[in-house]
């Protein structure tokens, strides 16, 4: 195995050693000779990046001789993103534009793109070239070897701020401790996914689309290809602190019930302490008689219990809120129209 390849994570698939080899061989046999690649690109207020992206990507894909389509999902941009995309699609039949009726967020936009992609393999990509298109070629090599999911692993996150790096590393630690599904560290949405994994993904009914987690949940044989994540080529990031925090919360809450269960154990510990303390007080009263002081300990106990109850209630609220959203079963996104060849196409339901 070449040095640049990170072995597949153990937890995601039971296959090891020769079992893996055999599984890969079976998949290798099934690979079409001339696969169609679908690049799925969610865009939100990205008018400056579109030209740069298209030039870099189409040039590279033609050079490597891939048959491809690019599915852009316009996620309710308020600038000239859609107009620019339409101009390009009039000249290039390989482009398709799924225009959403408003901003639904990156995860929903990705879902829309994946639903509209027709390729044998799908590669979700950011438009800012932070997901280097040069990686598609090594991704394809691994796919031809039989892997169903090939993800990019960021080796150095020098393009991110220290705060983002630190919080990301904490997020992976917390997530992977709590969730039965492990997500590989420093892996974004940039990956190549085989059609059969895509079909499983599309059957997942949840409204809360934490894509990284869903991709990991699907399973199959996955392998990582390391890369250095460059700076954004144009425009600015769409994720501020709050969006990232909510994103992390969505991830943990939709993949783990550990935060709900934790309160049971907190309750057991506090109840045990209370019983011991009660025994201590009763014994002391029996031996030394009653003394009045105790105001401080009383207040601390009351405040602590109040705080713990509010906290646990808040956590229950997190889950209840999400349950509420899931139960309503509203669609994940609304398509305003699908455009290709510079014209509108009938929309898929
Ligand atoms: N994006 C989107 N909808 C949103 C926010 C972002 O479709 O509500 C797209 C954005 O246009 C870009 C990708 O998601 O193609 C990644 O966004 P960004 O580069 O801002 O994220 P970062 O790389 O800073 O995490
Ligand atoms: Mg980016």
């Amino acid at each position: 195995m070449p040095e640049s390849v990170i072995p597949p994570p153990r937890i995601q698939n039971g296959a090891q050693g020769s079992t893996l080899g055999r599984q890969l061989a079976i998949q290798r046999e099934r690979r079409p000779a001339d696969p169609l690649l679908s690049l799925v690109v969610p865009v939100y207020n990205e008018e400056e990046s579109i030209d740069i992206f298209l030039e870099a990507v189409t040039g590279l894909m033609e050079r490597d001789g891939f048959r491809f389509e690019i599915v852009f999902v316009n996620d309710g941009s308020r600038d000239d993103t859609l107009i620019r995309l339409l101009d390009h699609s009039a000249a290039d039949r390989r482009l398709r534009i799924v225009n959403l009726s408003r901003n639904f967020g990156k995860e929903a936009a990705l879902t829309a793109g994946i639903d509209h992609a027709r390729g044998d393999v799908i590669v979700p990509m950011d438009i800012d070239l932070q997901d280097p298109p040069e990686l598609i070629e090594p991704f394809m090599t691994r796919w031809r070897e039989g892997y169903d999911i090939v993800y990019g692993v960021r080796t150095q996150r020098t393009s991110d701020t220290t705060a983002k790096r630190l919080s990301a590393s904490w997020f992976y630690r917390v997530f992977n401790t709590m969730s039965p599904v492990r997500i590989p560290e420093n892996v974004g949405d940039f990956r190549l996914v085989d059609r059969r994994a895509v079909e499983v993904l599309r059957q997942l009914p949840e409204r809360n689309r934490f894509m990284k987690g869903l991709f990991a949940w699907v399973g199959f044989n996955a392998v990582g290809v390391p890369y250095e994540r460059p700076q954004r080529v144009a425009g600015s990031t769409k994720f501020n602190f709050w969006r990232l925090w909510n994103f992390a919360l969505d991830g943990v809450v939709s993949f783990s019930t550990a935060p709900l269960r934790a309160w049971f154990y907190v309750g057991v510990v506090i109840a045990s302490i209370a019983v011991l303390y009660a025994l201590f007080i009763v014994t002391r009263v029996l031996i030394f008689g009653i003394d009045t002081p105790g105001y401080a300990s009383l207040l601390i106990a009351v405040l602590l219990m109040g705080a713990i109850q509010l906290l646990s209630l808040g956590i229950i609220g997190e889950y209840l809120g999400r349950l509420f959203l899931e139960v309503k079963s509203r669609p994940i996104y609304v398509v305003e129209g699908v455009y290709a060849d510079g014209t509108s196409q009938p929309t898929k339901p």
Side-chain angles (χ1 to χ4, degrees):
M1 198 180 273
E3 271 223 295
S4 62
V5 176
I6 294 176
R10 253 190 214 173
I11 303 89
Q12 280 188 32
N13 51 65
Q16 293 297 314
S18 62
T19 323
L20 173 66
R22 200 163 299 173
Q23 285 187 346
L24 292 184
I26 295 170
Q27 288 314 311
R28 208 157 40 228
E29 291 292 302
R30 294 186 183 154
R31 296 290 185 240
D34 185 23
L36 176 68
L37 252 115
S38 292
L39 307 183
V40 174
V41 189
V43 281
Y44 177 51
N45 296 343
E46 299 279 9
E47 55 182 13
E48 303 106 321
S49 314
I50 294 169
D51 294 353
I52 311 174
F53 173 85
L54 275 174
E55 204 185 307
V57 170
T58 49
L60 205 79
M61 301 292 284
E62 278 161 11
R63 194 200 67 190
D64 293 338
F66 290 128
R67 204 158 62 84
F68 69 100
E69 62 165 7
I70 306 182
V71 181
F72 285 105
V73 184
N74 178 35
D75 189 14
S77 301
R78 278 181 294 255
D79 61 1
D80 282 343
T81 298
L82 181 63
I83 297 181
R84 298 238 177 142
L85 287 176
L86 288 176
D87 286 348
H88 280 291
S89 84
D92 190 341
R93 308 199 53 167
R94 295 168 301 191
L95 309 189
R96 243 161 356 119
I97 301 149
V98 179
N99 189 37
L100 301 187
S101 62
R102 62 168 170 86
N103 179 253
F104 282 88
K106 186 186 172 189
E107 309 296 296
L110 255 184
T111 307
I114 288 172
D115 286 346
H116 285 81
R118 294 178 288 205
D120 300 300
V121 292
I122 289 186
V123 181
M125 281 176 95
D126 290 357
I127 197 164
D128 55 11
L129 290 180
Q130 285 197 290
D131 301 334
E134 301 82 46
L135 235 67
I136 294 174
E137 151 78 52
F139 279 3
M140 284 301 280
T141 311
R142 299 268 150 245
W143 176 76
R144 288 218 173 82
E145 283 168 15
Y147 288 100
D148 293 296
I149 297 187
V150 189
Y151 49 78
V153 183
R154 305 167 189 177
T155 46
Q156 281 178 350
R157 302 187 52 149
T158 38
S159 59
D160 288 333
T161 59
T162 319
K164 189 163 177 183
R165 268 199 305 249
L166 262 180
S167 54
S169 103
W170 268 99
F171 170 74
Y172 289 113
R173 208 173 295 172
V174 171
F175 186 97
N176 285 333
T177 312
M178 295 212 272
S179 157
V181 177
R182 282 185 73 94
I183 50 175
E185 224 171 292
N186 292 325
V187 172
D189 292 320
F190 185 36
R191 62 186 71 211
L192 181 147
V193 190
D194 181 70
R195 177 49 66 183
R196 66 175 184 153
V198 170
E199 286 311 317
V200 178
L201 189 80
R202 292 189 54 196
Q203 280 166 27
L204 301 182
E206 54 237 85
R207 317 283 118 192
N208 184 357
R209 310 300 284 186
F210 184 65
M211 292 307 268
K212 281 191 226 194
L214 297 182
F215 279 128
W217 184 90
V218 166
F220 294 117
N221 289 317
V223 68
V225 176
Y227 73 103
E228 236 172 84
R229 193 162 165 85
Q231 300 276 6
R232 198 175 227 288
V233 284
S236 57
T237 176
K238 309 293 178 291
F239 288 88
N240 57 22
F241 173 78
W242 265 115
R243 264 187 111 148
L244 279 176
W245 165 253
N246 284 323
F247 182 57
L249 215 60
D250 272 346
V252 171
V253 172
S254 56
F255 275 87
S256 166
T257 50
L260 278 177
R261 242 174 300 149
W263 300 106
F264 172 76
Y265 299 99
V266 173
V268 168
V269 169
I270 293 184
S272 319
I273 294 173
V275 167
L276 289 178
Y277 189 57
L279 283 176
F280 165 72
I281 296 215
V282 169
T283 323
R284 203 177 59 172
V285 167
L286 288 178
I287 298 173
F288 299 107
I290 297 169
D291 61 1
T292 29
Y295 158 76
S297 53
L298 206 68
L299 194 68
I300 290 171
V302 169
L303 286 179
L304 181 73
M305 280 317 296
I308 288 177
Q309 280 167 3
L310 280 179
L311 256 171
S312 53
L313 211 63
I315 302 252
I316 295 175
E318 274 298 318
Y319 283 87
L320 194 68
R322 268 153 244 262
L323 206 65
F324 176 63
L325 290 179
E326 296 289 340
V327 165
K328 281 197 290 190
S329 338
R330 288 185 181 156
I332 299 166
Y333 54 86
V334 177
V335 176
E336 179 276 327
V338 179
Y339 302 85
D341 307 328
T343 56
S344 175
Q345 305 272 307
T347 51
K348 272 196 201 177

